[in-house]
Amino acid sequence: MLDAAENTSLLRRLAGPSTGKAGLAKDQTEINRIIAEASKGSPFYENERKKDEQVTRRIEVLLKKREELAKAADIAKLEANAERLIAELEATRDLSQIICHVDMDAFYSSVEVLDNPELADKAFAVTGGGVLSTASYEARKWGVRSGMATFIAKKLCPDLICVAHHFPRYIEMSKAVMSVMRKYDSNMASWGLDEAYLNLTQYCAAHNLTAEACVAQMREEVHRETKLTCSAGIAPNKMLAKICSDRNKPNGQYYLAPDRDSVMTFTHDLSIRKIPGIGRVTERVIESVGIKTCGDIYTHRAAISMLDKELGLKSLLRAYLGIASNVVEPWARESTKSVGSERTFKTISDTGRLLEKLDEIAETLESDLEHGGWCGRTITLRYKLDTFQSFTRAKTMDRYVKSKQDLFAVSTLPHPRCRYDPFHGIDGDSRWAKSL
DNA sequence: TACATACAC
DNA sequence: TATGGTGTATGTA
């Protein structure tokens, strides 16, 4: 049995990052309990517990600060400050563009079903590196989620079928999907293999189509060409479109009319967790001051105004107002800021063997840099211990580099636990990563 | 610039 | 028995 110290936040944390975004399964509390029970005592669990405690401390500091500031606060003035920002943001509202976010339904799973129809309607998951990349809808009913450790998923769903991933196939199918969608907006922006943003304003005008008819047609065409289904959201900006694409999943679409009232009604009861960029941690922090929905942001505008630095008044007001970017641009090579390679392996405590591992990874990175024609000035070494604690060490060079030899410059940087010899005494390092 | 944290797919 | 890989943004010192 779990003891009382296992609070709700830790249980929710252990359930993984994707549990909050997706619709709640039948009994999430029971699912969370099974997950915690299976993890308990493991180094992973202990690390998560520590991180959860850190967030708890952070929240305590935040609430204490709020208490202090509240004593001398001029509520009217704080609210006026928020109102001024709201008016400023409102002036930037642009409802003129038809933005669409398309999300393939359980993409990797669906491709696996195409290649092996036996899997249809079965509870199965695509795995790689001990965790799930995605789960079929049948498996999701059991609380199985992407990012979950395979052995945990098996506890939740004992008959779960595990299939190893086939990335080249997903890439191939992704290309087929994207090329259909690009016909509707040549500036389409893909996001990963299975998502895309489009601006359909021009296409709709040119073909005299409503936004909804246009998207329905596009989804049909994707299905005809690939036998894969997708869901879509149509809204005046990317943030709203993304949230909308989740509303009628799978194989559905949701249209949010481009007028202020419709948008404000939509955000009013929207959970803050649905806002892209607000994850498990930020949700907890914001919730601690009494904000669960975007509507609550307005109610608590004075408190947020006081804690602007910690909570970000402007970005929360944008969420409340449903205002976000509507610029859709294809990926640009010059936008790349870093290139990296990392690998997880069984615990290595021997310095020599650790350096050999680092050598392998540096080699992979060197070849990636060569292929892409990249080079860089800052080399970052990321490493994780068998306690799941992770660290980074960085070094900026006085010239641009790309060779394995140069990448190794970071290998001599000291580790906090052993100032002088980085590799002696790092007992139980389980993982090395290298990035540039 | 160095490092940690949070987030997304 | 056992919890990934790649990349971006941001706060702090």
Side-chain angles (χ1 to χ4, degrees):
Chain A
M1 271 301 279
L2 297 168
D3 51 53
E6 254 90 39
N7 52 46
T8 314
S9 77
L10 178 56
L11 291 180
R12 280 167 73 180
R13 185 185 179 96
L14 287 164
S18 60
T19 34
K21 296 273 192 211
L24 224 58
K26 237 195 288 174
D27 189 355
Q28 192 62 47
T29 313
E30 172 63 4
I31 290 166
N32 289 355
R33 196 193 60 77
I34 296 171
I35 295 171
E37 193 77 57
S39 299
K40 194 148 192 210
S42 67
F44 180 84
Y45 177 95
E46 282 307 309
N47 191 251
E48 289 296 297
R49 198 177 54 72
K50 280 182 194 140
K51 286 200 277 188
D52 193 61
E53 267 171 15
Q54 271 183 350
V55 178
T56 305
R57 295 290 100 76
R58 213 179 115 187
I59 289 171
E60 281 169 5
V61 169
L62 182 78
L63 295 182
K64 192 136 283 176
K65 185 176 172 188
R66 180 180 67 166
E67 209 176 303
E68 285 302 310
L69 290 173
K71 287 178 189 162
D74 180 344
I75 302 297
K77 203 172 158 190
L78 290 167
E79 289 189 344
N81 175 49
E83 296 295 346
R84 184 185 48 76
L85 245 176
I86 289 172
E88 226 172 77
L89 289 167
E90 193 59 63
T92 70
R93 190 191 291 276
D94 180 2
L95 300 166
S96 68
Q97 304 300 299
I98 302 171
I99 307 301
C100 175
H101 177 258
V102 184
D103 193 340
M104 300 305 294
D105 300 323
F107 183 57
Y108 299 169
S109 301
S110 305
V111 174
E112 292 299 333
V113 171
L114 284 185
D115 296 347
N116 179 8
E118 299 254 300
L119 288 171
D121 304 318
K122 298 239 165 65
F124 77 97
V126 176
T127 62
V131 299
L132 310 186
S133 296
T134 188
S136 68
Y137 284 99
E138 207 53 47
R140 292 180 197 192
K141 292 179 187 165
W142 297 78
V144 171
R145 291 287 180 280
S146 63
M148 188 175 270
T150 310
F151 77 98
I152 303 264
K154 286 261 193 191
K155 283 238 156 62
L156 289 169
C157 175
D159 294 328
L160 185 74
I161 300 166
C162 292
V163 183
H165 61 71
H166 298 102
F167 271 106
R169 257 303 266 165
Y170 311 148
I171 291 167
E172 185 188 356
M173 290 311 291
S174 177
K175 281 182 181 158
V177 168
M178 299 295 170
S179 75
V180 171
M181 297 196 296
R182 201 170 286 108
K183 291 196 266 181
Y184 291 78
D185 175 12
S186 56
N187 278 325
M188 178 199 78
S190 57
W191 185 244
L193 292 180
D194 67 334
E195 291 184 26
Y197 289 97
L198 298 96
N199 185 331
L200 298 174
T201 316
Q202 273 195 19
Y203 191 96
C204 288
H207 296 80
N208 195 25
L209 280 169
T210 64
E212 291 177 277
C214 174
V215 172
Q217 180 193 314
M218 176 172 70
R219 290 176 44 241
E220 268 171 39
E221 194 175 336
V222 166
H223 185 251
R224 198 184 327 127
E225 296 292 324
T226 65
K227 300 295 167 218
L228 295 169
T229 65
C230 60
S231 300
I234 308 150
N237 63 53
K238 289 189 283 185
M239 174 186 79
L240 294 171
K242 166 125 177 104
I243 298 165
C244 288
S245 68
D246 200 42
R247 286 271 161 133
N248 282 322
K249 221 165 205 329
N251 199 17
Q253 61 185 62
Y254 184 92
Y255 174 69
L256 176 57
D259 61 79
R260 188 179 180 279
D261 277 0
S262 301
V263 171
M264 294 303 289
T265 304
F266 182 83
T267 59
H268 187 268
D269 296 318
L270 186 69
S271 159
I272 49 164
R273 184 67 169 85
K274 297 280 183 185
I275 302 297
I278 297 186
R280 287 182 294 178
V281 173
T282 312
E283 178 191 31
R284 250 194 90 193
V285 172
I286 297 175
E287 256 187 29
S288 77
V289 296
I291 298 162
K292 278 186 150 59
T293 67
C294 292
D296 295 337
I297 291 168
Y298 185 75
T299 314
H300 292 85
R301 62 197 182 286
I304 306 171
S305 189
M306 242 168 18
L307 301 168
D308 184 16
K309 199 173 67 125
E310 290 81 1
L311 302 178
L313 176 64
K314 195 168 178 176
S315 76
L316 286 178
L317 287 178
R318 281 165 67 88
Y320 158 67
L321 293 166
I323 289 174
S325 165
N326 61 5
V327 178
V328 176
E329 284 166 344
W331 180 79
R333 187 185 156 83
E334 52 274 18
S335 66
T336 294
K337 303 222 171 17
S338 71
V339 180
S341 171
E342 56 183 86
R343 213 73 28 194
T344 297
F345 44 80
K346 284 193 194 140
T347 302
I348 296 175
S349 43
D350 174 73
T351 306
R353 289 191 46 221
L354 218 38
L355 282 166
E356 272 172 39
K357 194 48 106 174
L358 186 57
D359 194 84
E360 277 172 44
I361 294 162
E363 200 145 327
T364 308
L365 183 54
E366 183 186 52
S367 125
D368 289 352
L369 291 171
E370 184 59 41
H371 264 108
W374 306 106
C375 56
R377 279 185 66 221
T378 303
I379 307 160
T380 303
L381 174 68
R382 257 173 64 80
Y383 56 100
K384 197 188 267 187
L385 307 186
D386 59 0
T387 56
F388 286 89
Q389 266 185 296
S390 99
F391 303 86
T392 63
R393 288 289 170 273
K395 190 180 173 71
T396 300
M397 315 293 275
D398 51 15
R399 62 187 205 288
Y400 283 83
V401 299
K402 59 178 184 176
S403 73
K404 192 174 89 174
Q405 200 77 350
D406 288 324
L407 296 179
F408 253 83
V410 284
S411 72
T412 55
L413 294 173
H415 179 275
R417 261 171 36 198
C418 44
R419 285 275 128 195
Y420 304 106
D421 183 343
F423 292 145
H424 284 299
I426 309 180
D427 275 339
D429 261 76
S430 69
R431 173 195 211 225
W432 284 90
K434 201 165 178 46
S435 59
L436 175 75

